[in-house]
Amino acid sequence: MKQAKPKILIMLGFLALILGAIAGVIIWGLLNVMDLAIDFIWDRPASLVYNLAVCCGGAVCIGLWQKKYGIYPDSTEKVIAIIKTRGRYPYDKLGVLAVSALLPLIFGGALGPEAGLIGIIAGLCFWVGDSLKKRGHEVSEAMAETGVAVAFSVIFGAPLMGIVGNLEPDGKDEKYREKLLSKKGRIVFYFLGAFGGFGAMKACSQVFADLIPASSGLPRFQQRESLDLSQWKWALMMMVAGIILGLIYCSFEKITRKCAAKIEDKRILSCLIAAVVLAFAGFWLPETMFSGEDALGDLIVNWDMQSPKTLMLIALVKLLLVNVCISFGWRGGHIFPVLYSGASAAFSLALLVGADGTFAAAILMSAMHSYIGRKPVMTVAIMALCFPLTYLPPMLIAAIVARKIPSPFVNS
């Protein structure tokens, strides 16, 4: 950002705080609409017929909506890429984006909410920035980046996640120092926006506490008082397993995209294929449906009551489902499902070899997420929500090593 007068900086800081609060309210509202709709539709005894009816009915709604308005929402990566290449993100379809984001989630998609919400917030920030007409494009882009940081931070309950995500290099040609030097003024805006977002969500939760239960965010894994150094003998195994699972995820992504491309112009048929796969998988393995955020808490408590084969099967099927959903038109995010899948696989291996489940999950999930997303520091910012601070060194090592492993599917 170019050198600005103190008054302008104060104004922009205040604007970041207000936009963060507005983003927090919007995200809180949409997430609670999603939760209420899911409870209304899915609070029924398990039935394959009901699964098929709901998923296929949802597929028709999604397909018709896409035929009229287009295939939305964009992935988080695409939103950020559009902002970087075009210097803006369109805000003429915010209502369409909201509906497009909610429909797949409500009807059981194995997806996270971050993709649609981040697009909505980015568009809103550009609209506000353009409306000011003070510093034009630069203000809009700064506020949009702040909005993306707020959205990440609020959705995942991680104050530093969005900030780190904006500053961490996106490719091998970017460097930390270059980003920090070019955006050191914006870091303050990111913090102010995140503060406003968290404050607004907290206020909404308290005001409507009697009507809507407060969300607890990502659950914390059961932990020992200190890190047992004897568990380090399993670190390499869990790291390798995480990288392999990341490779499997990327393989599923390539295969499903190739298959879906053949019927891309047949929106209802494409969405119905995803619906049928989702309905059958969800009937036999209910844990594979939805984002996995809420189910992760149950998994952490009850993982040692399931068989290693079942846990690993759940992990693999969920990785497949998230890619089937996204490729065939049920658009959404992948972070929450990947986290659940990683935890399930880690617990499976822990049962097989006798490792501590929390340590296994910390290493495997860090390696897997970093291999897929190629952002090790952002990965650890997420993991820090779930694990004690004593686990940070092994998680960071796993994330960095996984990021260094070349991927045939991901731009390193």
Side-chain angles (χ1 to χ4, degrees), residues 235-402:
L236 180 60
M237 172 186 175
M238 297 303 167
M239 193 186 308
V240 172
I243 293 170
I244 291 173
L245 284 167
L247 181 60
I248 291 173
Y249 172 89
C250 296
S251 301
F252 284 158
E253 182 181 34
K254 182 176 182 179
I255 293 169
T256 54
R257 281 185 177 179
K258 187 174 181 179
C259 294
K262 299 177 180 179
I263 54 171
E264 188 175 8
D265 57 334
K266 299 178 174 62
R267 296 315 312 146
I268 295 178
L269 174 61
S270 180
C271 292
L272 279 171
I273 291 174
V276 172
V277 175
L278 183 65
F280 274 95
F283 175 71
W284 295 110
L285 297 170
E287 300 88 349
T288 59
M289 299 183 75
F290 306 105
S291 70
E293 176 191 1
D294 295 329
L296 184 57
D298 295 331
L299 178 65
I300 291 172
V301 175
N302 302 314
W303 65 273
D304 54 354
M305 299 175 63
Q306 300 189 59
S307 72
K309 289 182 180 179
T310 299
L311 288 170
M312 187 59 72
L313 181 61
I314 289 171
L316 294 174
V317 171
K318 198 166 186 71
L319 289 182
L320 175 62
L321 276 187
V322 64
N323 281 299
V324 168
C325 287
I326 294 174
S327 296
F328 284 86
W330 290 52
R331 307 297 286 273
H334 70 272
I335 296 178
F336 281 126
V338 164
L339 293 178
Y340 185 93
S341 177
S344 186
F347 289 145
S348 172
L349 294 177
L351 286 173
L352 286 173
V353 302
D356 177 68
T358 299
F359 182 82
I363 301 299
L364 191 150
M365 291 169 68
S366 297
M368 180 182 178
H369 188 273
S370 181
Y371 183 85
I372 294 172
R374 318 307 285 179
K375 286 194 171 187
V377 180
M378 187 174 179
T379 293
V380 175
I382 301 174
M383 296 297 106
L385 297 174
C386 308
F387 299 96
L389 294 179
T390 51
Y391 283 67
L392 286 179
M395 289 192 300
L396 185 58
I397 292 172
I400 292 174
V401 170

Side-chain angles (χ1 to χ4, degrees), residues 18-40:
I18 298 301
L19 277 178
I22 294 173
V25 171
I26 293 173
I27 292 171
W28 178 88
L30 290 175
L31 289 178
N32 279 285
V33 168
M34 177 192 73
D35 289 339
L36 291 172
I38 288 174
D39 289 341
F40 176 77

Side-chain angles (χ1 to χ4, degrees), residues 2-64:
K2 297 178 181 179
Q3 187 68 31
K5 296 180 180 180
K7 289 184 179 180
I8 297 298
L9 291 175
I10 293 173
M11 182 272 290
L12 291 177
F14 180 74
L15 178 61
L17 183 68
I18 298 301
L19 277 178
I22 294 173
V25 171
I26 293 173
I27 292 171
W28 178 88
L30 290 175
L31 289 178
N32 279 285
V33 168
M34 177 192 73
D35 289 339
L36 291 172
I38 288 174
D39 289 341
F40 176 77
I41 294 174
W42 292 100
D43 190 14
R44 303 285 191 279
S47 165
L48 178 58
V49 173
Y50 188 78
N51 273 21
L52 284 168
V54 172
C55 291
C56 290
V60 172
C61 293
I62 296 169
L64 290 173

Side-chain angles (χ1 to χ4, degrees), residues 99-223:
V99 176
S100 300
L102 288 176
L103 284 177
L105 302 172
I106 289 171
F107 288 106
L111 303 161
E114 69 272 12
L117 294 178
I118 286 172
I120 293 169
I121 299 305
L124 174 68
C125 291
F126 272 110
W127 175 74
V128 172
D130 286 354
S131 298
L132 288 176
K133 296 181 179 178
K134 293 286 187 180
R135 292 175 61 85
H137 167 81
E138 187 177 358
V139 170
S140 298
E141 187 176 352
M143 290 302 104
E145 286 188 355
T146 300
V148 171
V150 172
F152 266 121
S153 298
V154 171
I155 292 169
F156 291 91
L160 296 178
M161 180 182 172
I163 298 168
V164 170
N166 271 355
L167 296 177
E168 189 168 17
D170 292 316
K172 60 183 179 181
D173 296 329
E174 275 191 330
K175 304 295 181 184
Y176 267 108
R177 182 170 176 79
E178 292 175 3
K179 273 207 165 188
L180 289 171
L181 288 176
S182 63
K183 299 188 177 183
K184 56 187 177 182
R186 296 187 186 183
I187 297 175
V188 177
F189 301 155
Y190 300 161
F191 274 103
L192 288 172
F195 179 80
F198 273 96
M201 285 198 74
K202 184 70 173 178
C204 289
S205 297
Q206 290 181 346
V207 170
F208 297 98
D210 294 335
L211 298 175
I212 302 174
S215 174
S216 57
L218 283 171
R220 290 191 67 82
F221 283 70
Q222 296 176 342
Q223 56 188 289

